[in-house]
């Protein structure tokens, strides 16, 4: 599975760089060209004996649970478990990475967006397992508490994915750095109760 994750997009070496790195919207023909990377990757690896277990991920990581994906429009459990896992990870990587045509989303924003798409695009069991692994607010996410303090998520809480452990370092009320403190949101109340909608994407500290 690990090697599949590393090599799932190896077929992009056969895609025209001008299309792959195009900063604007792709034409229909250009998108069809991009889609061939899965077959190119499959052809590269199919005759290598030690790579056989990777082939479903390489070929099918763009298939969707509802059958709307490519290249074979597989649906549901006709998609292998490894390919379903690859699909979730591939989308997360794509939307959190900086690309020529867009800046990557904050990890927490990415998970929330994926949750809105998961009904038709992903196997719900696989997506939920992914969320439990990275957290609703993944490590490294910048968050704001009800008190106005800013912090960085450093660990998940066994109590709930909605209440991670964070390291606070800045007050938005005083616009000043504050002594660094570890806060376990599963044990907080009062002025530091969690506001899940108060996610910020970048620090205000300069």
């Amino acid at each position: 599975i690990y090697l599949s994750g590393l090599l799932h997009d190896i077929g992009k070496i056969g895609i025209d760089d001008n299309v792959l790195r195009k900063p604007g919207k792709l034409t229909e023909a250009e998108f069809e060209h991009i889609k061939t990377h899965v077959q190119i990757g499959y052809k590269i690896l199919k005759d290598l004996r030690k790579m056989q277990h990777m082939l479903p991920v390489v070929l099918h990581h763009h298939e969707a649970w509802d059958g709307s994906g490519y290249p074979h429009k597989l649906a549901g459990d006709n998609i292998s478990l490894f390919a379903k896992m690859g699909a979730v990870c591939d989308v997360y990587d794509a939307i959190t990475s900086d690309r020529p045509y867009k800046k990557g989303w904050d990890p927490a924003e990415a998970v929330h967006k994926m949750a809105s798409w998961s009904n038709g695009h992903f196997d719900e069991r696989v997506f939920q397992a992914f969320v439990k692994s990275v957290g609703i607010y993944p490590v490294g996410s910048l968050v704001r508490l009800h008190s106005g303090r800013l912090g960085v998520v450093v660990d998940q809480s066994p109590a709930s994915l909605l209440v991670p452990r964070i390291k606070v370092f800045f007050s938005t009320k005083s616009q000043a750095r504050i002594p660094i403190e570890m806060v376990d949101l599963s044990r907080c109340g009062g002025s530091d109760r969690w506001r899940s909608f108060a996610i910020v994407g970048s620090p205000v500290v300069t």
Side-chain angles (χ1 to χ4, degrees), residues 19 30 33 35 54 65 80 91 104 112 127 132 136 146:
V19 176
E30 287 169 337
H33 176 53
K35 286 162 64 173
M54 299 184 197
W65 178 257
S80 74
V91 170
H112 279 279
F127 178 69
K132 287 179 181 178
I136 298 293
H146 187 75

Side-chain angles (χ1 to χ4, degrees), residues 127-183:
F127 178 69
Q128 290 301 324
F130 174 80
V131 172
K132 287 179 181 178
S133 175
V134 301
I136 298 293
Y137 304 103
V139 171
S141 299
L142 184 65
V143 296
R144 183 170 66 239
L145 300 181
H146 187 75
S147 64
R149 295 195 295 175
L150 295 184
V152 175
V153 176
V154 295
D155 195 12
Q156 304 301 322
S157 169
S160 171
L161 294 173
L162 293 172
V163 285
R165 297 184 180 98
I166 70 168
K167 184 181 289 186
V168 295
F169 63 91
F170 191 84
S171 170
T172 60
K173 291 183 177 178
S174 62
Q175 288 295 299
R177 291 183 175 88
I178 57 176
I180 292 175
E181 179 187 350
M182 293 294 295
V183 177

